[in-house]
Amino acid sequence: FDLSNFKDGYNKPGEIWAHNAFIRAYYAFLDQKSTLLFINMQERRAFRGGGVVQEQRSLMQDLVILQKLQGLLDMLIQIKPLSKAASVFLIVEAMECIIIEVYDVYSRICQMIAKVLKRIDTAGKAEAAMAVRILKKAIVQGDELSMYFQLCREIGVVNAKGCPQSVEIPQE
């Protein structure tokens, strides 16, 4: 089910390019999300030993997962209607679902950052450097999310009206 080259062959390309771009961006996100879910499921199966799930992952594993979630959030932020597509009911409805996905992914990132920061004192040099990069990216993503939510409010996405303000991470 590959929509990476999706295009509507029945309409003039100049009229529907924005719809096609929206569909391709949404597909890329769904494809990446399904890949991450599959990898997560495989890792959980690998952690099972004697029927007991071992929930404790290494700090490096958590950092790698955080980077993947941040990549997923970057993909979500790229899904936005362009020009005329913003007024199409189906696109606005899809945006409602995307906002829910944004909440889900962003809350997972925030929760994992909190967990990582509790264990950062045991980190090695490589893990600490990776954690700093993740935190810097989280700061940038917080700003991008604010702009994304504003765009969604402007086009009438109901789920975006009650968007919480992103919490800035202190520099220290």
Side-chain angles (χ1 to χ4, degrees), residues 16 27 67 96 119 125:
I16 43 96
Y27 163 75
Q67 281 185 325
E96 298 283 352
R119 300 182 344 191
K125 189 173 184 177

Side-chain angles (χ1 to χ4, degrees), residues 21-110:
F22 181 85
I23 291 168
R24 284 192 302 273
Y26 202 174
Y27 163 75
F29 160 73
L30 292 173
D31 186 51
Q32 185 67 28
K33 181 181 177 184
S34 66
T35 300
L36 287 176
L37 288 173
F38 178 75
I39 291 169
N40 188 24
M41 184 180 67
Q42 296 292 42
E43 287 174 352
R44 284 187 180 195
R45 286 183 182 164
F47 281 132
R48 290 182 190 208
V52 177
V53 178
Q54 301 169 359
E55 287 295 326
Q56 187 66 14
R57 291 186 299 248
S58 73
L59 183 58
M60 185 57 85
Q61 288 172 319
D62 280 345
L63 291 169
V64 168
I65 291 170
L66 258 169
Q67 281 185 325
K68 289 178 182 178
L69 286 172
Q70 285 181 323
L72 200 58
L73 186 59
D74 283 339
M75 293 184 89
L76 275 167
I77 293 171
Q78 296 306 311
I79 305 171
K80 51 188 150 204
L82 306 170
S83 67
K84 294 179 185 178
S87 63
V88 175
F89 177 74
L90 186 58
I91 300 277
V92 174
E93 283 297 310
M95 288 300 297
E96 298 283 352
C97 297
I98 291 166
I99 290 295
I100 293 169
E101 292 281 0
V102 167
Y103 285 146
D104 181 51
V105 173
Y106 190 64
S107 68
R108 287 178 191 212
I109 289 170
C110 292

Side-chain angles (χ1 to χ4, degrees), residues 93-148:
E93 283 297 310
M95 288 300 297
E96 298 283 352
C97 297
I98 291 166
I99 290 295
I100 293 169
E101 292 281 0
V102 167
Y103 285 146
D104 181 51
V105 173
Y106 190 64
S107 68
R108 287 178 191 212
I109 289 170
C110 292
Q111 290 170 1
M112 285 196 71
I113 285 175
K115 284 173 51 176
V116 163
L117 289 177
K118 288 179 185 175
R119 300 182 344 191
I120 201 68
D121 59 332
T122 63
K125 189 173 184 177
E127 293 165 328
M130 192 173 186
V132 167
R133 284 192 305 273
I134 288 169
L135 289 174
K136 286 181 180 179
K137 183 160 182 84
I139 292 168
V140 170
Q141 284 183 324
D143 294 339
E144 290 173 346
L145 277 176
S146 294
M147 290 185 295
Y148 188 76

